[in-house]
Amino acid sequence: MKPGKTGLARIIAAGGYSLQGLKSAYRHEAAFRQECWLVAVLLPVALIWSPGLVETLLLIGSLMLIPIVELLNSALEAVVDRIGPEHHELSGRAKDMGSAAVLLTMLLMGLVWGLVLLDALCVG
């Protein structure tokens, strides 16, 4: 292990690094900003409208997965770009796969929200 902070000091430092990452993503990544606004709009909708606790968890969980996966995709893209600006098949593949992960997460969110809404309309 590398020397460094331990215990509570490590946890506090890790929290600071996480906040730095969120700020950096918001500042430099347009897609992340848009997804944050999506969360800001739909989170209250999930809390107010959802018919039950399980449905609320499904709505919020599927919604929060989008910025989480976007953060991972942005980190992957940053590392690939750090390696070099020239086009490489593997770099392109890595970026495309990261983008596909975001797309699948958005499709999952849409499916969850659609099914919860459909269930509420059919039962309610």
Side-chain angles (χ1 to χ4, degrees):
M1 285 181 52
K2 62 181 183 179
K5 298 177 173 136
T6 59
L8 185 59
R10 187 192 66 75
I11 293 170
I12 292 170
Y17 302 142
S18 297
L19 287 175
Q20 279 180 297
L22 289 170
K23 288 178 187 176
S24 178
Y26 194 84
R27 185 178 308 119
H28 299 288
E29 299 292 333
F32 183 74
R33 282 192 300 276
Q34 293 166 350
E35 292 157 359
C36 285
W37 284 105
L38 179 70
V39 169
V41 169
L42 291 182
L43 185 62
V45 172
L47 292 171
I48 294 167
W49 166 73
S50 183
L53 290 176
V54 173
E55 291 84 355
T56 302
L57 178 62
L58 286 169
L59 295 176
I60 293 172
S62 65
L63 179 62
M64 293 306 297
L65 276 175
I66 294 173
I68 292 168
V69 174
E70 183 64 50
L71 284 168
L72 294 171
N73 180 46
S74 296
L76 181 139
E77 288 183 354
V79 169
V80 168
D81 290 346
R82 168 70 171 86
I83 292 170
E86 68 280 347
H87 176 74
H88 190 280
E89 179 186 347
L90 293 176
S91 297
R93 194 182 314 165
K95 287 184 168 190
D96 291 347
M97 289 176 183
S99 180
V102 174
L103 174 64
L104 290 176
T105 305
M106 289 181 174
L107 292 173
L108 174 65
M109 180 247 172
L111 179 66
V112 168
W113 280 68
L115 290 175
V116 170
L117 175 61
L118 182 65
D119 187 58
L121 292 174
C122 291
V123 174

